[in-house]
Coordinates of all heavy atoms in Angstrom, one line a residue:
D1 N -13.1 118.9 -138.5 CA -14.2 119.9 -138.7 C -14.9 120.0 -137.3 O -15.6 119.1 -136.9 CB -15.2 119.5 -139.7 CG -16.3 120.5 -140.0 OD1 -16.5 121.4 -139.1 OD2 -17.1 120.3 -140.9
L2 N -14.7 121.1 -136.6 CA -15.2 121.2 -135.3 C -16.7 121.2 -135.1 O -17.2 121.0 -134.1 CB -14.6 122.5 -134.6 CG -13.1 122.5 -134.3 CD1 -12.6 123.9 -134.0 CD2 -12.9 121.6 -133.1
T3 N -17.4 121.5 -136.3 CA -18.8 121.4 -136.2 C -19.3 119.9 -136.1 O -20.5 119.7 -136.0 CB -19.5 122.1 -137.4 OG1 -19.0 121.5 -138.6 CG2 -19.1 123.6 -137.4
D4 N -18.4 119.0 -136.2 CA -18.7 117.6 -135.9 C -18.6 117.5 -134.4 O -17.5 117.1 -133.9 CB -17.7 116.6 -136.7 CG -18.0 115.2 -136.4 OD1 -18.8 114.9 -135.5 OD2 -17.4 114.3 -137.1
Y5 N -19.6 117.8 -133.7 CA -19.5 117.9 -132.3 C -19.2 116.6 -131.6 O -18.5 116.6 -130.6 CB -20.9 118.5 -131.7 CG -21.2 119.8 -132.3 CD1 -22.5 120.0 -132.9 CD2 -20.4 120.9 -132.2 CE1 -22.8 121.2 -133.5 CE2 -20.7 122.1 -132.7 CZ -21.9 122.3 -133.4 OH -22.3 123.5 -133.9
Q6 N -19.6 115.5 -132.2 CA -19.3 114.2 -131.6 C -17.8 113.9 -131.7 O -17.3 113.3 -130.8 CB -20.1 113.1 -132.3 CG -21.6 113.2 -132.1 CD -22.1 113.4 -130.7 OE1 -21.6 112.6 -129.8 NE2 -22.9 114.4 -130.4
A7 N -17.2 114.5 -132.7 CA -15.8 114.3 -132.9 C -15.0 115.0 -131.8 O -13.9 114.5 -131.4 CB -15.3 114.7 -134.3
I8 N -15.5 116.1 -131.3 CA -14.9 116.8 -130.2 C -14.9 115.9 -128.9 O -13.9 115.8 -128.2 CB -15.5 118.1 -129.9 CG1 -15.4 119.1 -131.1 CG2 -15.0 118.7 -128.6 CD1 -16.1 120.4 -130.9
G9 N -16.0 115.2 -128.7 CA -16.1 114.2 -127.6 C -15.1 113.1 -127.8 O -14.4 112.7 -126.8
R10 N -15.0 112.6 -129.0 CA -14.0 111.5 -129.3 C -12.6 112.0 -129.0 O -11.7 111.2 -128.5 CB -14.2 111.0 -130.7 CG -15.5 110.2 -130.9 CD -15.5 109.4 -132.2 NE -15.4 110.3 -133.4 CZ -16.4 110.8 -134.0 NH1 -17.7 110.6 -133.5 NH2 -16.3 111.5 -135.1
L11 N -12.3 113.3 -129.4 CA -11.0 113.8 -129.2 C -10.7 113.9 -127.7 O -9.6 113.6 -127.3 CB -10.9 115.2 -129.8 CG -9.6 116.0 -129.5 CD1 -8.4 115.3 -130.1 CD2 -9.7 117.4 -130.2
G12 N -11.7 114.3 -126.9 CA -11.5 114.3 -125.5 C -11.1 112.9 -124.9 O -10.2 112.8 -124.1
G13 N -11.8 111.9 -125.4 CA -11.5 110.5 -125.0 C -10.1 110.1 -125.4 O -9.4 109.4 -124.6
T14 N -9.6 110.5 -126.6 CA -8.3 110.2 -127.0 C -7.2 110.8 -126.2 O -6.2 110.2 -125.8 CB -8.1 110.5 -128.5 OG1 -9.0 109.8 -129.3 CG2 -6.7 110.2 -129.0
I15 N -7.5 112.1 -125.8 CA -6.5 112.8 -125.0 C -6.4 112.2 -123.6 O -5.3 112.0 -123.0 CB -7.0 114.3 -124.8 CG1 -6.8 115.0 -126.2 CG2 -6.1 115.0 -123.8 CD1 -7.4 116.4 -126.2
Y16 N -7.6 111.7 -123.1 CA -7.6 111.0 -121.8 C -6.7 109.7 -121.9 O -5.9 109.4 -121.0 CB -9.0 110.7 -121.3 CG -9.0 110.0 -120.0 CD1 -8.8 110.6 -118.8 CD2 -9.3 108.6 -120.1 CE1 -8.8 109.8 -117.6 CE2 -9.3 107.8 -118.9 CZ -9.1 108.5 -117.7 OH -9.1 107.8 -116.5
E17 N -6.9 109.0 -122.9 CA -6.2 107.7 -123.1 C -4.7 107.9 -123.2 O -4.0 107.1 -122.6 CB -6.8 107.0 -124.3 CG -8.2 106.4 -124.1 CD -8.7 105.9 -125.4 OE1 -8.0 105.8 -126.4 OE2 -9.9 105.4 -125.4
R18 N -4.3 109.0 -123.9 CA -2.9 109.2 -124.1 C -2.2 110.0 -123.0 O -1.0 109.7 -122.7 CB -2.7 109.9 -125.5 CG -3.1 109.1 -126.7 CD -2.8 109.8 -128.0 NE -3.2 109.0 -129.1 CZ -3.1 109.4 -130.4 NH1 -2.5 110.6 -130.6 NH2 -3.4 108.6 -131.4
H19 N -2.9 110.9 -122.4 CA -2.2 111.8 -121.5 C -2.9 111.9 -120.1 O -2.2 112.3 -119.2 CB -2.2 113.2 -122.1 CG -1.6 113.3 -123.5 ND1 -0.3 113.2 -123.7 CD2 -2.2 113.6 -124.7 CE1 0.0 113.3 -125.0 NE2 -1.1 113.5 -125.6
G20 N -4.1 111.5 -120.0 CA -4.8 111.5 -118.7 C -5.2 112.9 -118.2 O -5.8 113.0 -117.1
K21 N -4.9 113.9 -119.0 CA -5.2 115.3 -118.5 C -5.1 116.2 -119.7 O -4.6 115.9 -120.8 CB -4.3 115.7 -117.4 CG -2.8 115.8 -118.0 CD -1.9 116.5 -117.0 CE -0.5 116.7 -117.6 NZ 0.4 117.5 -116.8
L22 N -5.5 117.5 -119.4 CA -5.3 118.6 -120.3 C -4.9 119.8 -119.5 O -5.7 120.1 -118.5 CB -6.5 118.9 -121.2 CG -6.4 120.0 -122.2 CD1 -5.4 119.6 -123.3 CD2 -7.7 120.3 -122.9
D23 N -3.8 120.4 -119.8 CA -3.4 121.6 -118.9 C -3.8 122.9 -119.5 O -4.0 123.9 -118.7 CB -1.9 121.5 -118.8 CG -1.4 120.3 -118.1 OD1 -1.7 120.1 -117.0 OD2 -0.7 119.5 -118.8
V24 N -3.9 123.0 -120.8 CA -4.2 124.3 -121.5 C -5.2 124.1 -122.6 O -5.0 123.2 -123.4 CB -3.0 125.0 -122.0 CG1 -3.3 126.3 -122.7 CG2 -1.9 125.2 -120.9
L25 N -6.3 124.9 -122.6 CA -7.2 124.9 -123.7 C -7.3 126.3 -124.3 O -7.6 127.2 -123.5 CB -8.6 124.4 -123.2 CG -9.8 124.6 -124.2 CD1 -9.6 123.8 -125.4 CD2 -11.1 124.3 -123.5
V26 N -7.1 126.4 -125.6 CA -7.2 127.7 -126.2 C -8.3 127.6 -127.3 O -8.1 126.9 -128.3 CB -5.9 128.2 -126.9 CG1 -6.1 129.5 -127.6 CG2 -4.8 128.3 -125.8
G27 N -9.4 128.2 -127.1 CA -10.5 128.2 -128.0 C -10.4 129.3 -129.0 O -10.9 130.4 -128.7
N28 N -9.7 129.1 -130.1 CA -9.4 130.2 -131.0 C -10.2 130.2 -132.2 O -10.5 131.2 -132.8 CB -7.9 130.1 -131.3 CG -7.6 130.9 -132.6 OD1 -7.4 132.2 -132.5 ND2 -7.4 130.3 -133.7
A29 N -10.7 129.0 -132.7 CA -11.4 128.9 -134.0 C -12.6 129.8 -134.0 O -13.4 129.9 -133.1 CB -11.8 127.5 -134.2
G30 N -12.7 130.6 -135.1 CA -13.8 131.5 -135.3 C -14.0 131.9 -136.7 O -13.0 131.9 -137.5
I31 N -15.2 132.4 -137.1 CA -15.4 132.9 -138.4 C -16.1 134.2 -138.3 O -16.8 134.5 -137.3 CB -16.2 132.0 -139.3 CG1 -17.6 131.6 -138.7 CG2 -15.4 130.7 -139.6 CD1 -18.5 130.8 -139.6
A32 N -16.0 135.1 -139.3 CA -16.6 136.4 -139.2 C -18.0 136.4 -139.6 O -18.8 137.2 -139.1 CB -15.8 137.4 -140.1
G33 N -18.4 135.6 -140.6 CA -19.7 135.6 -141.1 C -20.0 136.8 -142.0 O -19.1 137.6 -142.3
P34 N -21.3 137.0 -142.4 CA -21.6 138.1 -143.3 C -21.6 139.5 -142.6 O -21.9 139.6 -141.5 CB -23.0 137.7 -143.8 CG -23.6 136.9 -142.7 CD -22.4 136.1 -142.1
S35 N -21.3 140.5 -143.4 CA -21.3 141.9 -143.0 C -22.5 142.5 -143.7 O -22.3 143.1 -144.8 CB -20.0 142.6 -143.2 OG -19.0 142.0 -142.5
S36 N -23.7 142.4 -143.2 CA -24.9 142.8 -143.8 C -26.0 143.2 -142.8 O -25.9 142.8 -141.6 CB -25.5 141.7 -144.7 OG -24.6 141.2 -145.7
P37 N -27.0 143.9 -143.2 CA -28.1 144.2 -142.2 C -28.7 142.8 -141.8 O -28.8 141.9 -142.6 CB -29.1 145.0 -143.1 CG -28.2 145.6 -144.1 CD -27.2 144.6 -144.4
L38 N -29.2 142.8 -140.6 CA -29.8 141.5 -140.1 C -30.8 141.0 -141.0 O -30.9 139.8 -141.3 CB -30.3 141.7 -138.7 CG -29.3 141.9 -137.6 CD1 -30.0 142.3 -136.3 CD2 -28.5 140.6 -137.4
G39 N -31.7 141.8 -141.6 CA -32.8 141.4 -142.4 C -32.4 140.8 -143.7 O -33.2 140.2 -144.4
H40 N -31.1 141.0 -144.1 CA -30.6 140.5 -145.4 C -29.8 139.2 -145.2 O -29.3 138.7 -146.2 CB -29.7 141.6 -146.0 CG -30.4 142.8 -146.4 ND1 -29.8 143.8 -147.1 CD2 -31.7 143.2 -146.3 CE1 -30.7 144.8 -147.3 NE2 -31.9 144.4 -146.8
I41 N -29.7 138.7 -144.0 CA -28.9 137.5 -143.7 C -29.7 136.3 -143.7 O -30.7 136.2 -143.0 CB -28.1 137.7 -142.4 CG1 -27.2 138.9 -142.4 CG2 -27.3 136.4 -142.0 CD1 -26.5 139.2 -141.1
D42 N -29.4 135.3 -144.5 CA -30.1 134.0 -144.5 C -29.8 133.3 -143.2 O -28.8 133.5 -142.5 CB -29.7 133.2 -145.7 CG -30.2 133.8 -147.0 OD1 -31.2 134.5 -147.0 OD2 -29.5 133.5 -148.1
L43 N -30.7 132.3 -142.9 CA -30.5 131.6 -141.7 C -29.2 130.7 -141.7 O -28.6 130.6 -140.6 CB -31.7 130.6 -141.5 CG -31.8 129.8 -140.2 CD1 -31.7 130.7 -139.0 CD2 -33.0 128.9 -140.2
K44 N -28.8 130.1 -142.8 CA -27.7 129.2 -142.8 C -26.4 130.0 -142.4 O -25.7 129.5 -141.5 CB -27.5 128.6 -144.1 CG -26.3 127.6 -144.1 CD -26.0 126.9 -145.4 CE -25.0 125.8 -145.3 NZ -23.7 126.3 -144.6
P45 N -26.0 131.1 -143.0 CA -24.8 131.8 -142.5 C -24.9 132.2 -141.0 O -23.9 132.2 -140.3 CB -24.6 133.0 -143.4 CG -25.9 133.1 -144.2 CD -26.6 131.8 -144.2
W46 N -26.1 132.6 -140.5 CA -26.3 132.9 -139.1 C -25.9 131.6 -138.3 O -25.1 131.7 -137.3 CB -27.7 133.3 -138.8 CG -28.0 133.4 -137.4 CD1 -28.5 132.4 -136.6 CD2 -27.9 134.5 -136.5 NE1 -28.7 132.8 -135.3 CE2 -28.3 134.1 -135.2 CE3 -27.4 135.8 -136.7 CZ2 -28.3 135.0 -134.1 CZ3 -27.4 136.7 -135.6 CH2 -27.8 136.3 -134.3

């Protein structure tokens, strides 16, 4: 779960230990969220 931000840091450490480098990073993960007027959107989905 990428929203576990500390886990991203741990992943970086693991990559360093195993490979010593990273050649390609593709930041693809994304969500669409609600399709509603701004005033109708709760804070959590934002």
Side-chain angles (χ1 to χ4, degrees):
D1 181 349
L2 288 165
T3 59
D4 181 350
Y5 302 124
Q6 298 308 311
I8 295 175
R10 293 194 295 272
L11 175 60
T14 300
I15 294 171
Y16 176 75
E17 290 172 2
R18 293 185 180 178
H19 305 289
K21 65 168 184 172
L22 182 66
D23 299 294
V24 179
L25 168 63
V26 179
N28 165 78
I31 59 175
S35 297
S36 302
L38 287 172
H40 294 182
I41 298 171
D42 290 335
L43 181 59
K44 185 182 185 307
W46 168 272

